[in-house]
Amino acid sequence: MSSAQEKVERVREMDAPTSEKVEVLRKELNEGEKKELDEMVKQGETVVPGGTGGKSLDAQQRLAEGRSHGGQTRSDQLGHEGYQELGHKGGEVRREQLGHKGYQELGRKGGEARREQLGHEGYQEMGHKGGEARRDQIGREGYQEMGRKGGLSTMNKSGEERAQEEGIEIDESKYKTKDR
């Protein structure tokens, strides 16, 4: 991996807004590195996070900044809950486009990328916090019922399939999120 690619990877892993990442790249890349990355872009690679579709390094940087600012503006307009709902609706549309298997694959890839970003301990901590948040949402009884279903799952069959086959009643209303 070249020094330019290493800098891009380091910036990609930064916990900062896209506009800050672009600014760091602009400051840290020398002319030779910029030319190298520009050649990669011309070969169809996205080297700037959020710069997908740009045909030059500069275009990718401008696209990333514009998308970041646009997203922030929309977030400010809608407020936190409105922006979350917008994302939820977008996720539903994407799920319909990809179908069940495609959407699962998308989630798997996203999970792998996040695991690489956080490392083993960070990923475990994220899962632990997520489990606690879910338990708080659905309560003890809901969490137990969800665990019953999960405990039935195997490598080849979901918990739902096993429960149906074996005539085990699972009350999903105890753990389904009520606001969606």
Side-chain angles (χ1 to χ4, degrees):
M1 185 180 292
S2 71
S3 66
Q5 291 169 316
E6 287 176 3
K7 287 179 182 178
V8 168
E9 278 306 307
R10 188 173 43 77
V11 166
R12 208 171 256 160
E13 292 173 5
M14 287 173 51
D15 185 23
T18 301
S19 56
E20 286 181 31
K21 292 179 180 184
V22 170
E23 192 58 36
V24 168
L25 275 179
R26 283 197 171 120
K27 287 179 180 176
E28 290 193 10
L29 294 173
N30 65 41
E31 288 306 311
E33 292 169 332
K34 288 178 185 176
K35 285 181 184 175
E36 176 190 336
L37 292 175
D38 207 36
E39 281 303 312
M40 291 170 66
V41 170
K42 288 177 181 163
Q43 299 296 318
E45 274 192 64
T46 300
V47 297
V48 178
T52 305
K55 303 296 181 202
S56 69
L57 179 61
D58 185 57
Q60 284 192 7
Q61 289 173 328
R62 286 184 279 119
L63 276 168
E65 286 177 317
R67 288 173 177 148
S68 177
H69 291 302
Q72 186 59 54
T73 299
R74 192 67 179 137
S75 175
D76 293 344
Q77 291 168 344
L78 297 174
H80 179 73
E81 287 182 18
Y83 201 62
Q84 275 190 322
E85 183 62 21
L86 180 69
H88 177 73
K89 287 179 180 177
E92 288 178 346
V93 169
R94 191 66 178 138
R95 184 180 63 225
E96 288 173 18
Q97 290 170 337
L98 295 173
H100 180 72
K101 293 263 189 226
Y103 200 64
Q104 279 186 321
E105 180 66 11
L106 181 69
R108 187 187 63 73
K109 286 181 179 178
E112 285 177 0
R114 191 66 178 138
R115 184 179 62 230
E116 286 178 25
Q117 289 172 337
L118 297 175
H120 181 72
E121 288 82 15
Y123 198 65
Q124 275 188 321
E125 179 66 17
M126 183 182 75
H128 182 73
K129 286 181 178 179
E132 288 178 337
R134 188 69 182 131
R135 184 195 62 218
D136 293 346
Q137 286 174 338
I138 62 178
R140 184 175 181 270
E141 187 180 5
Y143 207 63
Q144 284 178 330
E145 193 71 4
M146 189 172 68
R148 282 184 60 219
K149 180 177 172 184
L152 292 170
S153 68
T154 65
M155 293 295 286
N156 300 323
K157 293 184 181 174
S158 71
E160 184 174 5
E161 291 170 321
R162 289 260 333 269
Q164 288 172 350
E165 284 177 359
E166 298 180 25
I168 299 170
E169 192 68 31
I170 301 289
D171 185 359
E172 292 188 353
S173 69
K174 290 181 180 177
Y175 61 85
K176 291 285 185 183
T177 305
K178 290 165 181 50
D179 65 343
R180 292 203 174 128

